[in-house]
Amino acid sequence: GERTALLAKPPSIGSDKSTTTGSNDDDKPSIGQSIISLAVPALAGLAIDPLMTLADTAFVGRTATNADALAGVGSSAAILTFSFYIFNFLCTATTPLVASRRASGDEQRALAVGGQALSLALVLGSALSAVLVLLCQPLLSVMGTGVTGPEANAYATSFLVIRAIAAPAVLSISAATGILRGYLDTKTALYVLAAANIVNFVLDVVLILGADMGPTGAAIATTTAEWLAALTFLGVLAGKLPSADGELGSNQESRAILPSTSSDAPLTVVPILSIPPWKDVKPLIVASSSVFLRTFVLQISLSGAAAMAARNVGSDTAGASASIAAHQIALQLWLLCSFVCDALAAASQALVADAIGRQDANDTRDISNTIFAYSFGLGGILAGALSFGMMSGFLLDFFTTDGSTQAALNELLPLLILAQPLNSFVFAADGVLQGAAEFTYQAKAMALSVSAGVA
């Protein structure tokens, strides 16, 4: 289609980019500057969210007298990660749809997509919260809490039920982040999530260290922080609170990207209370369905690995707790690295969609090539950092003092290190494909790769 052609089209001899964009090239930031200006705030913002769970994991692991508390957090966290992450299409599908419509000058359709995404997030989040609470025990049984013992199961139940209350908040944060990225704004999400992380850390200290509430305190802390973040995002999009640049879309004039408009009215995005016509919501639903399928397949493989970690030691309850605790730590480290890599994907997703909306084939190709080059460097840095943490013993001592958990973790870390360069490249490619709205292709590719891994 047109988007694929823009990705593949070679530059014509003597082509002048300014005739395509309608702007002065001297006033535009370079490709590298544009990527860095989006990726660096996105990097911090994306890393902050898994840092909440890492903080919970560290506090619980350091204060627990055995592996049961951390095993309980691990079982429930795997369910929550699966449940929340399969709805990441609220961000992934929203960003290119908003960015391409905005860049083409169709502001009203861009704002309409944002409102649809927020409405969908609130509806799906409420339904997800009810499902997690009602099916708590069956879900935990699938994750192997029957093997880890009654104490670990009690910790897991408490953690899962409390965190489930935040489902509407988590999905709203995802949709709001996608809308802001569509306006090439990654700073606002950074500030909001940084504040939420501080709230989570303070509450962890008070509830886990001070009140000795263990996993229950960790769940209360994270749920509170996520709801505060969601309400802040909704306030920013509704124009009640300022964004990092003052108001939604105010960063576009400095980028010389958005076509000028005659209206000075501030842009606002609020949930749509009425059901829009199918032709209006079709792009979001089709894109969301493809991303949902892709993410569902990926999360099935991750959650299956967590369940196997509890069962691969037979009837040894202590060994099962240590195995799943180690898997929880390794999974959170992998997710943290993945979120770091996703910063490049966030930048490429928004910039590629923006270039396609402006029908600028040269920018589309240049952005993609630069992103791929950056991804290899980032993968090497992450692999080096994890290697240092493993060889120095820092990663083993930081999360737990339990010897059996440390031994199990030491076997997983080399695999985590080797995966980072490829992981970084795949995330970069994801961003380019998502910016080009090639969601169906991504879903098929993920299904194929997971099938090969299971086989």
Side-chain angles (χ1 to χ4, degrees):
E2 180 182 355
R3 293 182 175 87
T4 305
L6 281 171
L7 281 171
K9 180 181 177 182
S12 58
I13 298 175
S15 62
D16 183 358
K17 189 180 297 185
S18 64
T19 61
T20 304
T21 62
S23 62
N24 189 338
D25 285 347
D26 293 335
D27 296 333
K28 285 184 60 179
S30 68
I31 297 296
Q33 289 173 332
S34 297
I35 291 172
I36 295 300
S37 67
L38 290 175
V40 171
L43 167 60
L46 288 165
I48 282 170
D49 187 63
L51 279 175
M52 286 192 191
T53 305
L54 274 174
D56 293 344
T57 301
F59 273 108
V60 172
R62 296 292 296 180
T63 57
T65 56
N66 54 45
D68 288 337
L70 194 56
V73 171
S75 296
S76 52
I79 295 172
L80 291 164
T81 299
F82 173 87
S83 301
F84 294 158
Y85 198 71
I86 60 174
F87 293 102
N88 79 330
F89 62 80
L90 291 165
C91 178
T92 303
T94 301
T95 297
L97 293 176
V98 171
S100 60
R101 284 156 176 75
R102 173 194 53 74
S104 67
D106 195 350
E107 197 75 72
Q108 291 306 311
R109 288 185 65 198
L111 297 175
V113 169
Q116 295 162 10
L118 289 178
S119 300
L120 195 58
L122 292 171
V123 171
L124 292 177
S126 299
L128 176 60
S129 181
V131 169
L132 290 175
V133 171
L134 293 175
L135 300 181
C136 176
Q137 282 305 315
L139 290 172
L140 288 174
S141 297
V142 171
M143 296 308 299
T145 55
V147 180
T148 56
E151 188 173 355
N153 183 68
Y155 285 129
T157 301
S158 173
F159 190 87
L160 179 57
V161 169
I162 296 172
R163 285 291 309 277
I165 299 173
V170 173
L171 269 58
S172 296
I173 290 171
S174 182
T177 301
I179 296 168
L180 290 168
R181 286 185 191 175
Y183 279 88
L184 304 183
D185 178 2
T186 56
K187 293 180 182 178
T188 299
L190 166 62
Y191 297 156
V192 173
L193 293 175
N197 202 62
I198 293 172
V199 171
N200 180 69
F201 182 85
V202 171
L203 290 177
D204 272 345
V205 172
V206 173
L207 298 177
I208 300 177
L209 295 183
D212 195 26
M213 294 179 67
T216 299
I220 294 173
T222 303
T223 297
T224 302
E226 288 170 337
W227 267 112
L228 289 175
L231 293 173
T232 303
F233 273 117
L234 292 174
V236 169
L237 293 174
K240 305 299 183 183
L241 297 172
S243 70
D245 295 298
E247 61 185 35
L248 185 64
S250 61
N251 64 339
Q252 300 306 305
E253 183 178 354
S254 63
R255 294 178 183 273
I257 289 176
L258 184 67
S260 60
T261 60
S262 58
S263 174
D264 294 328
L267 305 177
T268 59
V269 182
V270 295
I272 297 175
L273 301 181
S274 60
I275 300 177
W278 169 247
K279 65 181 181 64
D280 291 343
V281 297
K282 181 180 177 180
L284 179 62
I285 298 299
V286 171
S288 298
S289 300
S290 297
V291 178
F292 176 84
L293 175 61
R294 172 183 177 274
T295 309
F296 182 80
V297 172
L298 174 61
Q299 290 301 310
I300 282 287
S301 65
L302 292 177
S303 297
M308 289 301 297
R311 292 183 168 88
N312 67 356
V313 290
S315 58
D316 182 5
T317 301
S321 293
S323 178
I324 199 169
H327 184 272
Q328 159 68 0
I329 296 171
L331 177 61
Q332 292 307 318
L333 286 171
W334 182 83
L335 288 173
L336 177 61
C337 291
S338 295
F339 273 96
V340 172
C341 295
D342 203 26
L344 283 179
S348 60
Q349 184 186 67
L351 290 172
V352 167
D354 182 272
I356 289 175
R358 292 181 284 112
Q359 298 186 355
D360 191 331
N362 291 336
D363 261 8
T364 304
R365 187 193 64 258
D366 292 344
I367 290 166
S368 303
N369 291 339
T370 306
I371 285 289
F372 291 142
Y374 285 2
S375 71
F376 287 113
L378 179 59
I381 291 172
L382 291 174
L386 289 174
S387 297
F388 176 79
M390 176 183 175
M391 291 185 292
S392 65
F394 172 78
L395 290 178
L396 298 177
D397 297 330
F398 179 75
F399 289 102
T400 180
T401 56
D402 182 69
S404 57
T405 302
Q406 288 182 339
L409 179 61
N410 200 44
E411 296 178 358
L412 297 175
L413 286 176
L415 298 175
L416 193 65
I417 292 168
L418 291 174
Q420 292 316 305
L422 179 60
N423 197 39
S424 181
F425 173 77
V426 169
F427 270 87
D430 268 356
V432 173
L433 290 170
Q434 288 161 1
E438 294 291 341
F439 301 115
T440 303
Y441 172 81
Q442 283 188 296
K444 293 177 180 177
M446 179 57 67
L448 179 62
S449 61
V450 169
S451 298
V454 172

